[in-house]
Amino acid sequence: MANKLSHYDQSGKSKMVDVSGKSATAREAEASAFVAMSPAVLKALDSNPKGNPLETARLAGIMAAKKTADLIPLCHPLPLSHVDVQLQQCENGVAIRSKVKTTAETGVEMEALVAASVAALTVYDMCKALDKGIEIREVVLEKKSGGKSRDYIRKR
């Protein structure tokens, strides 16, 4: 773990990290989220009058990854080479997994997390008419690779 936060200067003011001296390298990150819902809502997914919630959420996640720098103030805008968002209906909800790739001076962890988060929020939006108690849980970074820092794999 780093010994200090990188987005603050010595006086405590927020700053964007200067990555101009870093080399562009291949970087990848994966994140996940889970949307917990009742069996009744799960059963109704296929007949949603707004359309297919999982496909809409998949597209929303991809679009969100591309807009991460517009949403998170100190994130660098990155040229994303690949974004994949997968949603899978499970016994008690919807599991979401995002994968983002780039070749850049900084990593894509935030893009992967934003993709999973917005996909989860979209599932909620598409299904909230049936149940306001749907829960978004466990938005986490699963793994990342590339760059100067070591690779990361989430411990379970």
Side-chain angles (χ1 to χ4, degrees):
M1 185 186 304
N3 58 2
K4 67 177 187 159
L5 296 173
S6 60
H7 287 84
Y8 295 95
D9 66 16
Q10 291 177 338
S11 66
K13 291 182 184 173
S14 300
K15 69 171 187 167
M16 188 176 210
V17 175
D18 182 358
V19 297
S20 61
K22 296 170 84 177
S23 297
T25 60
R27 297 162 187 267
E28 186 175 314
E30 293 184 30
S32 65
F34 187 77
V35 183
M37 59 183 67
S38 69
V41 176
L42 276 168
K43 186 176 180 182
L45 284 177
D46 292 336
S47 59
N48 191 308
K50 291 182 177 182
N52 180 337
L54 303 188
E55 180 59 12
T56 302
R58 187 183 73 77
L59 290 173
I62 291 168
M63 292 171 66
K66 299 189 307 182
K67 293 291 189 180
T68 298
D70 294 333
L71 299 169
I72 309 296
L74 301 176
C75 280
H76 295 82
L78 296 175
L80 303 182
S81 53
H82 181 72
V83 179
D84 183 44
V85 178
Q86 298 292 321
L87 292 93
Q88 181 177 353
Q89 193 170 329
C90 303
E91 181 180 331
N92 57 345
V94 176
I96 301 166
R97 187 101 178 186
S98 65
K99 184 176 189 175
V100 182
K101 294 180 181 183
T102 190
T103 300
E105 295 81 9
T106 190
V108 287
E109 298 94 62
M110 293 307 299
E111 287 75 6
L113 287 162
V114 166
S117 298
V118 170
L121 288 165
T122 303
V123 171
Y124 182 94
D125 180 55
M126 297 284 288
C127 300
K128 69 183 182 222
L130 296 175
D131 182 6
K132 305 282 190 277
I134 294 168
E135 296 179 5
I136 296 171
R137 301 180 181 168
E138 303 165 16
V139 177
V140 296
L141 180 66
E142 294 290 348
K143 61 183 174 177
K144 73 129 207 127
S145 62
K148 189 170 80 171
S149 65
R150 293 181 298 182
D151 291 354
Y152 168 82
I153 298 176
R154 179 175 173 246
K155 295 178 183 168
R156 303 228 173 225

